[in-house]
Amino acid sequence: MKINDNGRIGAVNPYKKSGDATFTQAPGKKGKAKDQVEISAQAKELLGAQGIRTEEHSTRIEQLKSSVASGTYHVDAGKIAEKLLPYLK
């Protein structure tokens, strides 16, 4: 049996050593560096616009919920077929 590179026993992982040097901090700071995320003003505006519901929209949703719950909601099969037809061609 031939054993090559017997100097590796007890050796330090070179990748770990180089990785530790990459994340060193400036003197005076303690602990690990924390990740930060910044959201632009435009993105905040878009996120805010998604949650806005008008009173008409809310009333319509409540009407639909109540009609579905009571079993009086009618589905027009013709309208559904018209909307599906372009996807089936």
Side-chain angles (χ1 to χ4, degrees):
M1 180 165 116
K2 185 175 180 181
I3 300 175
N4 293 327
D5 200 18
N6 60 1
R8 296 186 77 188
I9 298 174
V12 178
N13 185 350
Y15 295 109
K16 183 173 178 13
K17 186 182 256 187
S18 66
D20 291 342
T22 307
F23 295 110
T24 57
Q25 290 187 349
K29 289 192 175 184
K30 294 184 179 182
K32 291 186 176 184
K34 301 209 179 206
D35 293 336
Q36 290 183 334
V37 175
E38 293 183 19
I39 301 175
S40 69
Q42 185 180 13
K44 288 179 185 177
E45 184 180 333
L46 289 171
L47 286 172
Q50 286 180 340
I52 297 174
R53 284 190 181 165
T54 62
E55 189 174 322
E56 295 171 4
H57 189 246
S58 298
T59 351
R60 177 70 177 143
I61 289 174
E62 289 304 317
Q63 287 174 350
L64 288 172
K65 282 182 181 180
S66 63
S67 64
V68 168
S70 66
T72 59
Y73 183 73
H74 174 70
V75 178
D76 188 6
K79 285 185 180 179
I80 292 175
E82 286 176 12
K83 298 290 182 178
L84 288 176
L85 191 59
Y87 295 104
L88 298 176
K89 287 185 178 181

